[in-house]
Amino acid sequence: MPKQTFFNLPEKKRQTLLNAAEKEFSRVPLYEASVANIIKESGIPRGSFYQYFDDKEDLYYYLLNRYTVKMKELLLQSLQKQDGDLLGAFGDFFAKVIYQQTNERNVKFLKNAFLHVAQKMELSFSRIFLDKSHPRFEDILDYVDSSRLNIRDEKDLHHIIQIITAVIFRNFVEKYANNLTNEEAAARFHKDLQLLKDGLYKEK
Amino acid sequence: MPKQTFFNLPEKKRQTLLNAAEKEFSRVPLYEASVANIIKESGIPRGSFYQYFDDKEDLYYYLLNRYTVKMKELLLQSLQKQDGDLLGAFGDFFAKVIYQQTNERNVKFLKNAFLHVAQKMELSFSRIFLDKSHPRFEDILDYVDSSRLNIRDEKDLHHIIQIITAVIFRNFVEKYANNLTNEEAAARFHKDLQLLKDGLYKEK
DNA sequence: CATTGTAAGTGACACGGTGTCATAAGTCAA
DNA sequence: TTGACTTATGACACCGTGTCACTTACAATG
């Protein structure tokens, strides 16, 4: 978190700084962004910057957090609008976020946030399952028994693979982030698979 | 991709370099890793390193790709073992990966790979929905109509939220990575929600 | 209003990492 | 032996980070 000193700053100076930061983080992802650019843009001396923030990341996650707070607000609205229907609310929420981002800078900021994270790593990971150019194996989809799946065409199958990839990925993250035992991690993932299989909603 | 020069190297030298690289990338995530350490460890001159690789990332993704190739092999085995049962295969696969990683260096390499990516960003994102300390709002779960959901207890609800978070996150990534139109992105996400709702499997 | 103590501001600088480039060394065929 | 090409090498220019000794601002106090 930014230091108290930062919050004591006159409104205008603080805004100038945040503005310059948002500009820089919209230009490039976190690890390519530089404090040098932010202070040049905002005219803040280098020493002052480090008076306010521990480092680049400190400022970045402060900004990101402001975005997520707004998102939470949107999700809540969606939930109320949809009378507590969870998936309906998420659908509404997703649309709201993407349609509402008309400010180019916001779009780029979010783009960098989502991409930096995922582009290289998760995409490389999901390529395991979908990329036909991956060496040594025929397309893995040939081995899937589609007859048991709730799908109409190949496109649906891709959706299913995407969903499972996202979920298994998150399970790996959780296991490693929280140092779960193998048993605990396997149990959690099994539960997720069960829910995916049967559906998140009760049968009508 | 590494240059041909790298593959022309004598086996031993190449192994020494890859070994040093894996050690460094196991020690810290990609953006904290340094070429300096890798060449010090392997005794390769700096100039040579840049003869073989464009940069740090070039080498990193080459290593990561070797991991994913192994994973693809494992997934294929699981699929065959489970007679094409998709979710069964993924369950088997997940267990195989986590139980099989007994080499401490491998574990750390994967840990850094999964975490670097996700820890900060996606966790910050999922906190929107789960973190009670997030400002300004009562716990969002209070607004969810649980009666429609296929759950027995609060733990199940958390699983459901985790699943949806993973899927919506991936949808944001796809939208921004591939510059999907809002309509296309919304349609894809809607399809995912439909699948989640009804379940990935046909009813028995 | 001078004094003094505390908080904030500042920029030069030491440090460390990156990628390049001029030069040296190796290889091989004529 | 020579020439043409490929590979090896490490010194170096460049750039960004975070710190620190010093300055300035400001508020409380006698």
Side-chain angles (χ1 to χ4, degrees):
Chain A
M1 271 300 274
K3 317 262 175 61
Q4 186 54 44
T5 320
F6 173 68
F7 297 107
N8 295 342
L9 245 38
E11 178 66 15
K12 181 149 184 215
K13 195 170 179 185
R14 205 171 66 240
Q15 279 311 321
T16 307
L17 211 171
L18 289 178
N19 210 41
E22 201 170 334
K23 185 171 171 189
E24 176 68 358
F25 292 129
S26 302
R27 189 180 66 82
V28 285
L30 172 57
Y31 288 101
E32 287 170 50
S34 85
V35 173
N37 280 335
I38 296 171
I39 62 179
K40 196 172 10 160
E41 172 82 19
S42 59
I44 301 278
R46 187 164 197 82
S48 298
F49 181 93
Y50 286 97
Q51 200 86 20
Y52 308 145
F53 311 101
D54 289 334
D55 49 28
K56 206 177 29 173
E57 305 209 355
D58 192 21
L59 169 53
Y60 180 76
Y61 289 110
Y62 172 67
L63 277 178
L64 186 60
N65 192 54
R66 287 164 26 127
Y67 274 85
T68 64
V69 168
K70 281 184 215 150
M71 286 201 183
K72 184 161 186 173
E73 195 161 354
L74 290 179
L75 180 63
L76 197 74
Q77 285 170 13
S78 296
L79 263 172
Q80 287 168 335
K81 186 170 150 203
Q82 302 278 326
D83 285 326
D85 173 15
L86 189 60
L87 292 178
F90 269 100
D92 199 60
F93 167 73
F94 184 78
K96 226 185 281 177
V97 171
I98 62 179
Y99 282 100
Q100 194 168 299
Q101 298 302 334
T102 49
N103 176 328
E104 188 180 5
R105 179 175 297 176
N106 287 352
V107 170
K108 286 192 178 160
F109 185 91
L110 285 180
K111 176 169 180 162
N112 283 331
F114 283 118
L115 289 203
H116 150 59
V117 157
Q119 191 164 35
K120 306 276 181 139
M121 171 61 193
E122 188 177 349
L123 294 189
S124 148
F125 188 73
S126 78
R127 222 171 279 132
I128 295 175
F129 315 113
L130 293 177
D131 187 352
K132 301 200 184 203
S133 74
H134 223 262
R136 292 240 303 283
F137 289 110
E138 312 84 306
D139 193 350
I140 220 161
L141 296 187
D142 295 345
Y143 287 84
V144 175
D145 175 5
S146 301
S147 70
R148 311 187 203 188
L149 299 175
N150 183 18
I151 59 178
R152 282 191 322 262
D153 52 28
E154 170 131 354
K155 214 171 124 208
D156 286 2
L157 180 54
H158 272 257
H159 272 274
I160 286 188
I161 297 280
Q162 297 277 10
I163 289 170
I164 303 181
T165 304
V167 170
I168 198 173
F169 189 82
R170 169 172 263 281
N171 272 269
F172 279 121
V173 169
E174 262 189 42
K175 186 218 175 326
Y176 288 114
N178 306 326
N179 282 312
L180 300 185
T181 64
N182 291 342
E183 289 71 25
E184 174 67 13
R188 287 199 192 184
F189 184 53
H190 180 76
K191 178 72 197 172
D192 281 355
L193 289 182
Q194 204 56 49
L195 282 164
L196 288 178
K197 193 171 168 182
D198 299 338
L200 305 188
Y201 278 27
K202 286 179 183 159
E203 306 188 19
K204 276 161 298 226
Chain B
M1 270 300 274
K3 318 263 175 60
Q4 186 55 44
T5 319
F6 173 68
F7 296 107
N8 294 342
L9 245 38
E11 178 66 15
K12 181 151 183 212
K13 195 171 178 185
R14 206 171 66 241
Q15 280 311 321
T16 307
L17 211 170
L18 288 179
N19 210 42
E22 201 170 332
K23 185 171 171 188
E24 176 68 359
F25 292 129
S26 302
R27 189 181 66 84
V28 285
L30 172 58
Y31 288 102
E32 286 171 50
S34 87
V35 173
N37 280 335
I38 296 171
I39 62 180
K40 195 169 16 158
E41 172 81 18
S42 59
I44 301 278
R46 187 163 198 84
S48 298
F49 182 93
Y50 285 97
Q51 200 86 19
Y52 308 144
F53 310 101
D54 289 335
D55 51 28
K56 207 178 27 173
E57 305 208 353
D58 192 22
L59 168 53
Y60 181 75
Y61 289 110
Y62 172 67
L63 277 178
L64 185 61
N65 192 54
R66 286 164 28 126
Y67 273 86
T68 63
V69 168
K70 282 184 215 152
M71 286 201 181
K72 185 161 185 173
E73 195 163 354
L74 291 179
L75 179 63
L76 197 74
Q77 285 169 14
S78 296
L79 263 172
Q80 288 168 336
K81 186 169 151 201
Q82 302 277 327
D83 285 324
D85 174 16
L86 189 61
L87 292 179
F90 269 101
D92 198 59
F93 166 74
F94 184 78
K96 226 185 281 177
V97 171
I98 62 179
Y99 281 100
Q100 194 168 299
Q101 299 301 335
T102 49
N103 176 328
E104 188 180 4
R105 179 176 297 176
N106 287 352
V107 171
K108 285 193 179 159
F109 185 92
L110 285 180
K111 177 168 178 162
N112 282 333
F114 283 117
L115 289 203
H116 150 59
V117 157
Q119 191 164 33
K120 306 277 181 135
M121 171 62 193
E122 189 177 348
L123 293 190
S124 147
F125 188 74
S126 78
R127 220 172 281 133
I128 296 175
F129 314 114
L130 293 176
D131 187 351
K132 301 199 182 200
S133 75
H134 222 263
R136 293 241 304 281
F137 289 110
E138 315 84 305
D139 193 350
I140 220 162
L141 296 187
D142 293 346
Y143 287 85
V144 174
D145 175 4
S146 302
S147 70
R148 310 186 204 188
L149 300 175
N150 182 18
I151 58 176
R152 283 192 321 264
D153 52 28
E154 170 131 355
K155 215 170 123 207
D156 286 1
L157 180 54
H158 272 257
H159 272 272
I160 286 188
I161 297 279
Q162 296 278 10
I163 288 170
I164 303 181
T165 305
V167 170
I168 198 173
F169 189 81
R170 168 172 266 279
N171 272 270
F172 279 122
V173 169
E174 262 188 42
K175 187 223 175 325
Y176 288 114
N178 306 326
N179 282 312
L180 300 185
T181 64
N182 291 343
E183 289 71 26
E184 174 67 14
R188 288 198 192 184
F189 184 53
H190 181 76
K191 177 73 197 171
D192 281 355
L193 290 182
Q194 205 56 49
L195 282 165
L196 288 178
K197 191 170 166 182
D198 299 338
L200 306 188
Y201 278 27
K202 285 179 182 158
E203 306 189 20
K204 276 160 294 215

